[in-house]
Amino acid sequence: MDKLNTLKKYFGYTAFREGQEILIDNILQGRDALGIMPTGAGKSICYQIPALLMPGITLVISPLISLMKDQVQALNQAGVHAAYINSSLSESQISRALRLAAGGQYKIIYVAPERLETYEFLQFAQKAEISMLTVDEAHCISQWGQDFRPSYLKIVQFIRRLDKRPVISAFTATATENVKEDIVCVLGLREPYVLVTGFDRKNLYFAVETPAGKDRYVRDYIREHDQESGIIYCATRKNVDRLYDRLLAEGVPAARYHAGLDSEERRQSQEDFIYDKSPVMIATNAFGMGIDKSNVRYVIHYNMPQSLENYYQEAGRAGRDGERAECILLYSAQDVMINRFLLDNKEQKGEYTREELDAIGERDEERLRSMIYYCLTTDCLRRYILRYFGEKGMESCGNCRNCLREYEETDVTGAAVKIIAGIREMRQRYGINVVAGMLAGEDRARLREYGVNGYEAFGSLKELREGEIKEIINRMLVENLLVMTNDKYAVLKLTEQSDEVVSGKVSVILKKAKRDPAREKEAGAGKRSGSTKVRRSDILNSRGLELFEQLRTLRAQIAREENVPPYIVFSDKTLVDMCVKVPLGRNDMLTVSGVGENKFARYGERFLGEIQTYTGGIREKFYFGDGDGI
């Protein structure tokens, strides 16, 4: 069977997405590969198709139990024999799984990196025909990545102990240039085919909001989206528990997840969320990695994360089905203090020298500062994210809060020149609070202690409030007209571009959102932030939406019967395509996106029956427009 027939038979798709086919071709030719593809781009297909076509077994190294369980469940539903081996299984269950694997029962085995060192697994691996070893979430192998896991280093040792080196493939959604180089180097990839398809998730709407009351914003937002599933990330366990208790008291069907809960409560919470019993999950960043729930319609960050890597990975759990979804960050200055405290008290995994710890601390501070600038920028948010990951972005994406806002522009070059003069006179020794206070001519004990009232620049911007001066400084930082040192003192420094401001070659423009009381009231109520994207189900007319809801009800019933999440049966995208194509027989149903032969054998007749009953066997148009599919 060729790759395209394999794709259709097991996964129900008639064509590959961007980047998938070329990665698959290189792997099938025996070449190592690294795929950096955004969440929802179909990374798993890139190793699952070769695994089915290659002789022997493919081992997939995966960091979390939830990820393995999700993937294996989906594969078995599609008719692919797969298994996982991790600490959730008893030793006897592991032994049985390895016996079945040795007997050729499984084509794909997911395994936790810690298992690679065990005697039993190593004995199995040295005797088995392992065609490929795939490293999922490959950024975990880099100590400069945002989620470094020392256990991932065991992969390299494991490969060296095999009699025959298999093809090595690695995949991740978030990797800066440094992390990408680390993956290739540490894993020892041999002349790998490296593909970066881009980091853009066009279906995601991004917004940074600064509501007066975060709790009220979240509560009202959930009420506005009560038929949808979402995740709310908090920086601390305390915030998770407090918000969870408050929402529960107001009748919101929420679940919570953090490392302070016992394993049974975490398991139950995760299950309730995946099975849509509790459509709202309130969690720390301990939750979500590897969760393949496709219908998450929003991710709200109650607190600012510590890095853009973390933010984009967590935000990326929304809209995995390609449908419109919203990613909203609620920013306050207190978030900066919370994150600095968490970073100062972070427990480092692994053994490091003093120099390495200092370097890690600097990198953490640099990441945090990039995250702060994201919250402060008035430019396109999507462009900011893409540039951070080394990709050129458009000037305006048309689908983020900043692009949809109206701004008033003010030339503040004169004030910027005075700021530069003040920093230079202070010999670049102070941070933003001291500089802004000095320029505003503030008379505070701390400033008197530093003797700033003796500088010529003292009070040179007294016509501005201290907060307004900080706003200009922040704009200059975003534009690289100033920089901050990467340490806890965060001292302001001049750059080469600073002189261009003084010489008049570069202007500093401050953009401020126009006041719109009606929109501010709407935003305060947690209403739609202005996303212009439409969901695929929005193409359905009233009859189509009615059929869609009936198919969703049937899907939920089947999911309960089989004890699997609804999206494992069929995704919303597949149900919408059924409403558009109105299949009335087997051949029709197999043209629906996401319906493969095995899925049809399991569920096809029941869905055909539901469509037959609703339509009376007469195909009619259930959608707007002229298309005949999605």
Side-chain angles (χ1 to χ4, degrees):
M1 188 181 296
D2 63 23
K3 62 193 175 190
L4 206 54
N5 285 328
T6 302
L7 179 72
K8 179 57 188 170
K9 177 180 179 180
Y10 292 105
F11 304 102
Y13 303 121
T14 56
F16 289 105
R17 297 187 197 175
E18 180 189 359
Q20 288 180 330
E21 189 169 15
I22 193 165
L23 276 168
I24 289 167
D25 286 343
N26 275 275
I27 290 169
L28 288 175
Q29 289 164 17
R31 188 175 178 184
D32 288 353
L34 169 59
I36 301 173
M37 308 162 78
T39 303
K43 290 186 291 294
S44 57
I45 289 288
C46 296
Y47 60 82
Q48 288 169 351
I49 294 289
L52 292 171
L53 295 174
M54 296 166 87
I57 296 168
T58 288
L59 296 182
V60 182
I61 313 301
S62 184
L64 285 185
I65 291 170
S66 57
L67 172 66
M68 299 184 206
K69 186 177 179 182
D70 244 18
Q71 293 275 12
V72 168
Q73 201 169 34
L75 283 169
N76 285 320
Q77 284 280 316
V80 177
H81 294 298
Y84 60 82
I85 295 173
N86 56 44
S87 60
S88 71
L89 303 179
S90 66
E91 290 303 319
S92 61
Q93 287 175 316
I94 290 171
S95 296
R96 181 173 182 274
L98 291 177
R99 279 197 308 275
L100 291 172
Q105 178 73 22
Y106 305 120
K107 287 293 291 178
I108 303 175
I109 299 175
Y110 285 77
V111 60
E114 294 82 2
R115 281 280 141 193
L116 301 178
E117 283 191 321
T118 63
Y119 175 78
E120 187 177 18
F121 189 83
L122 192 59
Q123 286 291 103
F124 154 76
Q126 288 174 334
K127 293 175 185 175
E129 182 184 5
I130 298 173
S131 300
M132 179 168 63
L133 185 141
T134 295
V135 182
D136 204 5
E137 306 293 347
H139 61 273
C140 293
I141 205 165
S142 170
Q143 66 172 325
W144 306 120
Q146 82 280 9
D147 195 32
F148 171 60
R149 292 173 182 247
S151 60
Y152 259 53
L153 297 176
K154 301 179 194 301
I155 299 169
V156 183
Q157 300 161 20
F158 173 76
I159 294 170
R160 288 178 186 148
R161 297 175 76 173
L162 296 176
D163 293 335
K164 180 185 176 185
R165 183 186 185 275
V167 174
I168 311 296
S169 59
F171 297 89
T172 182
T174 51
T176 59
E177 190 62 28
N178 288 338
V179 173
K180 182 178 80 173
E181 291 172 3
D182 230 4
I183 293 169
V184 172
C185 180
V186 177
L187 271 179
L189 300 183
R190 297 177 182 173
E191 298 182 0
Y193 181 81
V194 179
L195 178 74
V196 182
T197 60
F199 294 92
D200 194 8
R201 297 277 307 284
K202 291 181 174 63
N203 62 313
L204 300 185
Y205 165 83
F206 293 98
V208 176
E209 304 285 359
T210 54
K214 290 186 179 184
D215 286 3
R216 178 172 174 254
Y217 183 99
V218 170
R219 180 198 65 199
D220 292 344
Y221 186 97
I222 291 171
R223 284 178 178 169
E224 281 287 315
H225 301 76
D226 62 341
Q227 298 299 310
E228 298 178 342
S229 183
I231 303 172
I232 301 162
Y233 280 110
C234 300
T236 65
R237 300 175 188 178
K238 182 179 178 182
N239 276 350
V240 169
D241 291 338
R242 186 185 54 76
L243 188 60
Y244 168 77
D245 289 339
R246 180 162 186 175
L247 292 178
L248 217 59
E250 295 186 14
V252 175
R256 63 176 169 174
Y257 191 107
H258 61 67
L261 303 175
D262 64 57
S263 58
E264 176 56 28
E265 186 172 353
R266 288 200 305 273
R267 186 199 63 76
Q268 189 62 54
S269 291
Q270 182 166 300
E271 193 170 287
D272 288 348
F273 178 66
I274 288 173
Y275 286 78
D276 289 332
K277 295 173 185 173
S278 299
V280 180
M281 172 63 81
I282 305 163
T284 61
N285 61 7
F287 173 79
M289 190 173 176
I291 295 298
D292 201 23
K293 185 174 166 66
S294 62
N295 65 333
V296 175
R297 297 270 63 89
Y298 61 86
V299 171
I300 296 176
H301 278 82
Y302 188 88
N303 303 108
M304 179 188 74
Q306 293 174 0
S307 71
L308 268 168
E309 287 96 334
N310 286 344
Y311 176 66
Y312 203 47
Q313 189 177 69
E314 290 159 10
R317 282 154 199 159
R320 291 176 68 101
D321 54 5
E323 298 288 277
R324 182 193 66 216
E326 297 195 338
C327 308
I328 300 170
L329 196 163
L330 307 183
Y331 175 73
S332 70
Q334 188 183 20
D335 292 339
V336 179
M337 294 187 291
I338 291 172
N339 279 312
R340 284 223 162 90
F341 173 81
L342 293 173
L343 287 173
D344 287 344
N345 292 275
K346 183 170 75 171
E347 182 182 344
Q348 295 293 351
K349 300 170 184 176
E351 296 181 6
Y352 299 99
T353 64
R354 182 71 259 167
E355 290 77 12
E356 286 174 328
L357 287 171
D358 289 343
I360 291 170
E362 281 190 20
R363 181 63 63 88
D364 286 343
E365 183 62 34
E366 187 180 329
R367 285 199 190 103
L368 178 60
R369 193 157 294 125
S370 295
M371 190 71 244
I372 294 169
Y373 294 166
Y374 172 82
C375 296
L376 297 176
T377 187
T378 51
D379 296 333
C380 173
L381 294 172
R382 189 182 311 277
R383 179 170 178 260
Y384 186 98
I385 292 170
L386 295 180
R387 284 177 64 185
Y388 179 83
F389 287 110
E391 186 177 322
K392 277 191 174 181
M394 64 302 290
E395 286 299 317
S396 173
C397 72
N399 191 33
C400 77
R401 184 79 164 109
N402 288 359
C403 287
L404 296 173
R405 267 186 176 133
E406 286 190 40
Y407 287 96
E408 294 173 327
E409 294 188 348
T410 306
D411 190 322
V412 293
T413 307
V417 170
K418 291 181 179 180
I419 290 168
I420 291 168
I423 293 171
R424 183 171 280 129
E425 187 183 4
M426 299 172 86
R427 291 187 288 177
Q428 304 180 62
R429 294 184 303 170
Y430 297 99
I432 189 170
N433 291 328
V434 175
V435 171
M438 185 275 289
L439 293 167
E442 293 290 331
D443 183 26
R444 293 198 298 269
R446 189 74 180 269
L447 295 177
R448 287 197 301 272
E449 182 184 331
Y450 291 140
V452 300
N453 54 349
Y455 290 114
E456 281 187 26
F458 181 76
S460 60
L461 286 176
K462 61 184 177 184
E463 71 275 13
L464 299 178
R465 295 191 301 274
E466 196 171 345
E468 291 174 317
I469 297 171
K470 288 181 180 179
E471 207 171 353
I472 298 170
I473 291 174
N474 282 324
R475 183 65 199 174
M476 294 172 75
L477 287 165
V478 170
E479 293 293 322
N480 200 40
L481 303 173
L482 299 172
V483 294
M484 276 185 184
T485 56
N486 290 327
D487 53 46
K488 64 181 178 181
Y489 301 107
V491 173
L492 287 172
K493 299 283 186 181
L494 303 180
T495 68
E496 289 181 12
Q497 289 92 324
S498 302
D499 290 335
E500 294 183 358
V501 176
V502 175
S503 64
K505 293 179 182 176
V506 172
S507 298
V508 182
I509 306 299
L510 197 63
K511 290 164 63 178
K512 283 196 171 186
K514 286 183 179 179
R515 289 292 307 277
D516 185 342
R519 289 192 70 172
E520 286 173 10
K521 183 178 179 183
E522 183 179 272
K527 298 195 180 206
R528 289 201 56 75
S529 307
S531 170
T532 59
K533 295 289 181 181
V534 294
R535 207 174 310 167
R536 283 190 176 90
S537 59
D538 292 345
I539 71 170
L540 301 178
N541 59 29
S542 58
R543 286 270 292 158
L545 286 170
E546 191 176 330
L547 174 59
F548 177 67
E549 289 304 322
Q550 289 195 206
L551 295 179
R552 285 184 68 188
T553 301
L554 173 60
R555 179 180 66 179
Q557 181 183 334
I558 293 171
R560 284 193 298 272
E561 290 170 6
E562 300 206 357
N563 196 31
V564 297
Y567 61 84
I568 292 286
V569 178
F570 285 128
S571 68
D572 283 358
K573 178 181 176 180
T574 297
L575 298 189
V576 172
D577 205 24
M578 287 184 195
C579 296
V580 170
K581 291 176 177 170
V582 197
L584 299 176
R586 180 182 185 275
N587 290 339
D588 291 342
M589 183 63 88
L590 285 173
T591 69
V592 172
S593 175
V595 181
E597 291 179 15
N598 195 67
K599 283 284 186 82
F600 179 82
R602 295 179 75 106
Y603 312 123
E605 293 296 343
R606 293 181 69 174
F607 280 88
L608 281 174
E610 192 72 27
I611 294 168
Q612 285 274 3
T613 301
Y614 185 78
T615 62
I618 300 171
R619 186 175 281 115
E620 58 181 290
K621 187 176 177 180
F622 291 132
Y623 59 92
F624 301 110
D626 301 321
D628 62 351
I630 56 173

